[in-house]
């Protein structure tokens, strides 16, 4: 029932709140914005509310390691899974526990974790992503959707682009 290094906040898009609880390796969700201290409604990245364990040397599918940043837009959720050197994207902010992401940025699989994929820096690799910003085109316009990622270990900001058709 407590935080350990809460780092970022985001909206669910439907009146709720998301908190990146980095030290407990999870994201907590309140379905309605809390007006007092109360337990979260859901957890992402851990099997339950009581577990806050880091699993650094096993498959990282369904797990988070130090999620430091969140971004949400149009009901979608992006999480900077910092120590796993990737950004995970879900098409819904209502995901729970070990829900498989709809997209993984900077790693070849849902289980991979390596800094720059255990190789050299490339345009599509990350090393310790710490911040996110989602820029969406105006609803009446076609254009790219951009996710800006503070790629701190590589001393740069990376822009991931996806075309949005309306």
């Amino acid at each position: 029932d407590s935080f350990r290094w809460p780092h970022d906040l985001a909206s669910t898009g439907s009146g709720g709140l998301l908190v990146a609880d980095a030290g407990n390796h999870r994201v907590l969700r309140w379905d309605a914005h809390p007006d007092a201290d109360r337990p979260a409604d859901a957890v992402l990245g851990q099997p339950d509310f009581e577990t806050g364990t880091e699993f650094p040397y096993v498959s990282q599918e369904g797990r988070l390691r130090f999620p430091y940043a969140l971004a949400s837009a149009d009901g979608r959720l992006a999480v900077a899974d910092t120590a796993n050197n990737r950004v995970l994207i879900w098409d819904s902010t209502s995901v729970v526990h070990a829900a498989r992401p709809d997209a993984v940025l900077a790693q070849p699989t849902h289980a991979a974790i390596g800094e720059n994929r255990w190789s050299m820096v490339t345009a599509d690799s990350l090393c310790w992503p710490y911040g996110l910003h989602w820029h969406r085109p105006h609803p009446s316009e076609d254009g790219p959707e951009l996710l800006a990622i503070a790629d701190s270990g590589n001393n740069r900001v990376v822009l991931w682009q996806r075309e949005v058709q309306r």
Side-chain angles (χ1 to χ4, degrees), residues 50-92:
E50 289 76 37
T51 305
T53 307
E54 177 184 18
F55 301 95
Y57 304 108
V58 299
S59 167
Q60 292 301 298
E61 187 164 357
R63 295 185 167 97
L64 297 173
R65 286 182 61 220
F66 297 104
Y68 280 114
L70 304 172
S72 66
D74 298 332
R76 297 176 71 210
L77 173 64
V79 175
D81 190 13
T82 303
N84 285 327
N85 304 289
R86 63 189 181 179
V87 173
L88 305 174
I89 298 175
W90 288 270
D91 288 337
S92 171

